[in-house]
Each structure stands twice: as structure tokens, then as C-alpha cells.
Amino acid sequence: MTDPELAAIVVSWRAAADVAELASAWPRDGRFELVVVDQTGDLGEIAGARVLRPGENLGFAGGSNLGAKSTAAPILLFLNPDTRPEAGALDAIARAFERWPQAAGVVPRLVGFDGAAQTTWQLRRLPSPAALLAQAFFFTPGRFAGEPAEGSTIEQPAAAALALRRELFESVGGFDDRFFPAWFEDVDLARRLADAGHRLFYLPRAVIQHRQGSSVASLGYGSFLQAYDRNLLRYLDKHHGHLWSVAFRWAAAVGAIVRLLALPLRRPARAASRAEAAAALLAVAFGAATGWRQGS
């Protein structure tokens, strides 16, 4: 049996229903392998997929690295469980690496299950330290205003759907599993690829449907904010120095208080209720102001 051309790596955490839907839609084609890393032990055998069970939650980065090591495919397609490739998308990705031998990676086009483009969420420029400070006030600079042309360089695509040439993924060390359980591991990887002189190309003809936001609902808004801020601090420390992470801690405290005062007028979309949002924002404000750091 020959090795597959492309292996999709899917890390599942409380996502059994999504994984079942993805596997049922996966083409029965030996060129395209589906590898699922079961982080919560709630998946049985899945037709059309190979399931890995590490016995613990390795996070998105650690689970993705495990899945990548388990396959010999030269193209690695990292997918969220709540994605579905449209007809022809996998073929288009595989052929793009032949067409663009200089590409370290290929970025498919993400759309919602209703067909709405997710460009402004999916495609971004690598963040400057100032742009990361702006996130303390819930602003996210650096997003694309419109749809880029095919073949455009994308500095920092979301890892919800990202295809990479295995040899280059391995050459920069894969994902950094210290970004646990998720968030900023894809920014960090994109930064390291760019620093090594590699480029990621946009491929809108490869369309992948994406539900978006399911992991936050499972995790809860407070846990999401904690994980997001810790990993943002880790990224700042790693790539821009400790002084920037100190600045972010204080900005995060102020930003959380501002957002808390605005709660009667606007509830954060990711929070299930204003009460949940208030508790999460108070925890951020208190933790940041008292020297909360990014943990081990």
C-alpha cells in the first residue's frame, strides 16, 4: 500500500459529533488520509479515519504534532473538527503544492456552513506588539479587509484549515506545545516559518466549510479568556521580549474593566450570559493587575 499524498490531522476535544460528521463526508480515496487525535477518549472506531488515543489532553499543538508524526504523507492538512472540505478541495490543495514548489503551505478558503466567507477572521498579518496590546481592548488589527487574490501571500492564517509541506513543518520544529490548550500556536508557527524565509499562499478554489467557535462553547468564556491571554503573553515573551508582556498585563486589566462597564450595553458574543462574561472579565482584571503570568 502506498503512502497517502495528503493527511488531514484533526484534534478532537469534546467534539465527537463534529468528528463523526467530518468522517462521514471524507472522500473514500486512498490519496487522502484522515487522522483523528482523540484527546477526551469519547470516540469509538470511525469508518474512514485512523484514530489516535494519547490518553491525555495534549492541547491543539501537542495533538497536531502527534498526528503529524503518525503519518508519512508529504502534505499535512491541519483541520478543526467542525470543518468539511467541499468537493474538489483536497485535490486542489495537493495540486497547488505541485504548481507552487516554493510554497511552504497552502491556505484554503474558509466559509461558514451558510456559505458566508470567514476571510476577516481567517486571514491576518503577523501581529506587531502594538497590535497585540490592542487586543487587551478587544480590537484585532491586521485583518484582511477584502478577499485576496489566489496566490497571495498570507502571513498568519488560522490553523482551522492550513496545509503545510511536511519537510518544512518539521524543519521549524512543528507546533510549540507550550501554547496550551489552544490559541497563538498558529501565530507562533507562522512567525517561525516567516523568519525562516518561507511563504504561505492563498488558495480560494479549495473551499472548506467551518462552523467556527465550537471549542469556546465547550470550554466556557472564562477559561477561554484565561487560555487566550496566557498564550498571548507567552507569544510576546517569546518573540518580542518580556517588557511587552508586562505592558499587556496592565493593558488587559484596564481593558477588562472597560468591557465590564460596557456589559449592560453589550454582551461579548462568545459569552453565554452577562453573568458569565462579568465573572470572566473580573478574573482577567484581578489576575492581570496582581501580576498574573502565563503559567508553565
Side-chain angles (χ1 to χ4, degrees), residues 105-196:
V106 167
V107 182
R109 183 176 191 258
L110 283 181
V111 301
F113 278 35
D114 60 357
Q118 296 181 355
T119 308
T120 56
W121 173 84
Q122 178 195 9
L123 310 178
R124 304 177 186 181
R125 296 172 180 83
L126 281 166
S128 66
L132 292 172
L133 286 187
Q135 293 195 30
F137 298 94
F138 303 89
F139 297 118
T140 309
R143 296 182 176 183
F144 279 75
E147 183 90 9
E150 180 164 297
S152 296
T153 298
I154 306 298
E155 292 183 3
Q156 192 254 297
L162 175 61
L164 295 172
R165 205 179 295 274
R166 165 193 287 284
E167 60 182 304
L168 297 181
F169 174 73
E170 292 177 344
S171 74
V172 297
F175 287 107
D176 183 343
D177 59 13
R178 292 175 296 174
F179 290 91
F180 181 88
W183 295 286
F184 280 90
E185 72 289 314
D186 51 356
V187 190
D188 169 69
L189 177 64
R191 170 70 65 183
R192 287 183 283 121
L193 285 167
D195 288 347

Side-chain angles (χ1 to χ4, degrees), residues 8-26 28 34-53 79-85 113 211 214:
I9 312 299
V10 178
V11 177
S12 174
W13 183 78
R14 299 180 182 176
D18 281 331
V19 169
E21 289 181 29
L22 172 57
S24 67
W26 194 256
R28 299 303 188 257
L34 179 60
V35 179
V36 179
V37 182
D38 179 7
Q39 305 267 50
T40 41
D42 56 354
L43 302 180
E45 295 303 315
I46 301 175
R50 184 159 54 84
V51 181
L52 307 179
R53 297 180 174 85
L79 287 177
N80 278 7
D82 57 349
T83 56
R84 311 286 180 274
F113 278 35
R211 183 170 288 120
S214 58

Side-chain angles (χ1 to χ4, degrees), residues 46-96:
I46 301 175
R50 184 159 54 84
V51 181
L52 307 179
R53 297 180 174 85
E56 60 180 320
N57 183 6
L58 303 175
F60 178 85
S64 294
N65 289 339
L66 176 66
K69 290 174 183 175
S70 78
T71 178
I75 300 171
L76 303 172
L77 173 61
F78 297 98
L79 287 177
N80 278 7
D82 57 349
T83 56
R84 311 286 180 274
E86 291 192 356
L90 302 180
D91 266 309
I93 291 169
R95 302 291 77 80

Side-chain angles (χ1 to χ4, degrees), residues 192-215:
R192 287 183 283 121
L193 285 167
D195 288 347
H198 301 309
R199 297 170 63 196
L200 308 173
F201 292 167
Y202 188 47
L203 186 70
R205 70 178 68 185
V207 179
I208 296 182
Q209 298 176 5
H210 179 222
R211 183 170 288 120
Q212 192 176 353
S214 58
S215 57

